[in-house]
Amino acid sequence: MTDLPSHDIELRVRYGETDRMGVVYHAEYLAWCEMGRTEYIRSLGMSYAEMERRGVPLAVAEATIRYHAPAKYDDLIRVSTVLSRQGSRTLTFDYVITHAESGQRLASASTTLVALDRDGKATTMPPDIRALLSRSVDR
Amino acid sequence: MTDLPSHDIELRVRYGETDRMGVVYHAEYLAWCEMGRTEYIRSLGMSYAEMERRGVPLAVAEATIRYHAPAKYDDLIRVSTVLSRQGSRTLTFDYVITHAESGQRLASASTTLVALDRDGKATTMPPDIRALLSRSVDR
Amino acid sequence: MTDLPSHDIELRVRYGETDRMGVVYHAEYLAWCEMGRTEYIRSLGMSYAEMERRGVPLAVAEATIRYHAPAKYDDLIRVSTVLSRQGSRTLTFDYVITHAESGQRLASASTTLVALDRDGKATTMPPDIRALLSRSVDR
Amino acid sequence: MTDLPSHDIELRVRYGETDRMGVVYHAEYLAWCEMGRTEYIRSLGMSYAEMERRGVPLAVAEATIRYHAPAKYDDLIRVSTVLSRQGSRTLTFDYVITHAESGQRLASASTTLVALDRDGKATTMPPDIRALLSRSVDR
């Protein structure tokens, strides 16, 4: 992920995101990844909400996540997002989730999203959206 | 709630529903209430999904919940639901949430739902749906 | 809520917080209330995490919420929190949830929390914590 | 996954599990996987809650999931779980998530869990638990 432009967000762990093991429940990290890519897209000049209004929803087709260390209640978390691969119909985002203060790596993840048409079939993204996104991708 | 016909469901507490206090996070009970009223409606002969397809979504307008004792991971929970009040545009459901094995009361709750039209405004429910529901209400 | 000092937070609606009605799922607001009171307490000079470490967890004993208008995906939300009542063992927080840009009121809520001892029984809060909180309450 | 003994559970999609795209939010599937492996372990004669009481919590170290078709509100879902690999400190479970009535495949997933000691370090599982689990694994 060295040369790609990344976008960082910070969030504070909510009480309800923890589980009885005393740490953040593993499924919550996927929501954090989504927050990361939402702000990544916004930083390019178009909100994901706007993409949906244009009729180009992106569905998650695949997600992989490795958990290195637990996030805890009230921790300040950083999510660094990069768009690592762009196809005509798919986008792959990579994420590094760290403890914002210590820099400790907590998780690394990757999600591949596919553009859908109104019938829910995979479709090619419109040229202007592809151009917008491609500004940030190493191809 | 003595004379109204109630409908019971059982569910098992999921790990992700707990928080670091070791008990179920308080917001999760509202989802259990919704499961309870969904099955209550289904027991009358129409699914809530079907009501939505007919263009009569029900939005929660008010919710009140009292927590008596904590639910814990892997507990078997019973949700008893009654339709306690039916207006032309609103429905009020009451819930008693207990530990299924011991019968211990864990929470009691009430939610009022309002029928919405396609613009999101409160609207009168169709006569046949009102008739269906009224079979079960003490008026 | 006129004279009590309130504390405001802002948050952006996450995709996963919405439901198929296209608006935020009603149970999610309780998590926002918790974020509100967490930051309210932090603004007084002690984090809620620190209160738990001191052995004074606060459990939600009662919650009431009225929904006035729906919150939507990607909306910027403001949660205004006040500590409206302080007892020796209980705290009641009131919340007003608004759309941050338009100021439209989306929901109003109230939660009563009770201090628990190590056995999960209601207990009197330590004097220094009571003093800290009482600075902000209208008594 | 042909020869390994699998364990099936069924669940009904909750309203709050959907998002504004009208389908189940992608992170929810990980909670379903957890329900699947919980019941898988119970079917061997020991509950996961009991494993935790014995001081052998299992933390998710890695999760991968592919989404084939969307699950929708009120759908009846089947989760088929197999323990596909057992190490001295790790367990890998594979899941196939289908629409219970049509049999349509909705998602396939895999999670690797690691046994932790009281300090949160990876540790070898006790012999009796390993023996219990190994009954069901192709080694």
Side-chain angles (χ1 to χ4, degrees), chain A residues 2 17 20-21 31 33 38 49 52 71 73 76 80 89-90 96 102-103 117 119-120 122 124 127 133 139:
Chain A
T2 45
E17 291 175 332
R20 76 181 202 127
M21 214 177 275
C33 291
T38 296
E52 282 204 347
Y73 170 59
L76 195 61
S80 296
R89 307 201 270 189
T90 62
V96 177
S102 70
D117 64 17
D119 299 322
T124 304
L133 294 165
R139 288 179 306 173

Side-chain angles (χ1 to χ4, degrees), chain A residues 15-19 25 28, chain B residues 11 13-19 23-36 65 67 71 77 79 97 107, chain C residues 25-28 30-31, chain D residues 14 16-17 28 31:
Chain A
Y15 205 91
E17 291 175 332
T18 62
D19 64 29
Y25 185 64
E28 306 289 349
Chain B
L11 59 92
V13 174
R14 302 175 177 187
Y15 205 91
E17 291 175 331
T18 62
D19 64 28
V23 299
V24 171
Y25 185 64
H26 66 286
E28 305 290 349
Y29 290 74
L30 287 181
W32 297 352
C33 290
E34 190 191 290
M35 294 167 71
I65 183 160
Y67 302 90
I77 301 296
V79 182
I97 298 175
Chain C
Y25 185 64
H26 67 287
E28 305 289 349
L30 287 182
Chain D
R14 302 175 177 187
E17 291 175 333
E28 305 290 349

Side-chain angles (χ1 to χ4, degrees), chain A residues 86-104:
Chain A
Q86 181 182 7
S88 60
R89 307 201 270 189
T90 62
L91 300 171
T92 299
F93 292 92
D94 295 338
Y95 315 87
V96 177
I97 297 174
T98 53
H99 194 277
E101 281 153 25
S102 70
Q104 184 187 21

Side-chain angles (χ1 to χ4, degrees), chain D residues 46-113:
Chain D
M46 174 180 280
S47 72
Y48 174 66
E50 172 67 15
M51 286 179 67
E52 282 204 348
R53 274 191 293 273
R54 294 244 340 243
V56 191
L58 296 173
V60 179
E62 188 167 347
T64 302
I65 182 160
R66 289 187 192 182
Y67 302 90
H68 309 298
K72 294 186 177 157
Y73 170 60
D74 212 40
D75 280 353
L76 195 61
I77 301 297
R78 178 172 298 128
V79 182
S80 296
T81 305
V82 296
L83 176 55
S84 58
R85 218 165 64 87
Q86 181 183 7
S88 60
R89 307 199 272 190
T90 63
L91 300 172
T92 299
F93 291 92
D94 294 339
Y95 315 87
V96 177
I97 297 173
T98 53
H99 194 278
E101 281 153 24
S102 70
Q104 184 186 20
R105 184 176 289 219
L106 305 177
S108 40
S110 180
T111 60
T112 297
L113 291 92

Side-chain angles (χ1 to χ4, degrees), chain B residues 11-12 14-17 28 31-32 34-35 38-39 42 47-49 52 57 73-74, chain D residues 11-12 14-17 28 31-32 34-35 38-39 42 47-49 52 57 73-74:
Chain B
L11 59 92
R12 195 173 285 280
R14 302 175 177 187
Y15 205 91
E17 291 175 331
E28 305 290 349
W32 297 352
E34 190 191 290
M35 294 167 71
T38 297
E39 297 307 324
R42 198 192 316 275
S47 73
Y48 173 67
E52 281 204 348
Y73 169 59
D74 212 39
Chain D
L11 59 94
R12 196 172 286 278
R14 302 175 177 187
Y15 205 91
E17 291 175 333
E28 305 290 349
W32 297 352
E34 191 192 289
M35 293 167 71
T38 297
E39 297 307 325
R42 198 192 315 275
S47 72
Y48 174 66
E52 282 204 348
Y73 170 60
D74 212 40

Side-chain angles (χ1 to χ4, degrees), chain A residues 68 70 104, chain D residues 55-57 59 89 114-124:
Chain A
H68 308 299
Q104 184 187 21
Chain D
V56 191
R89 307 199 272 190
V114 58
L116 298 182
D117 64 18
R118 306 226 178 242
D119 299 322
K121 304 281 181 197
T123 190
T124 304

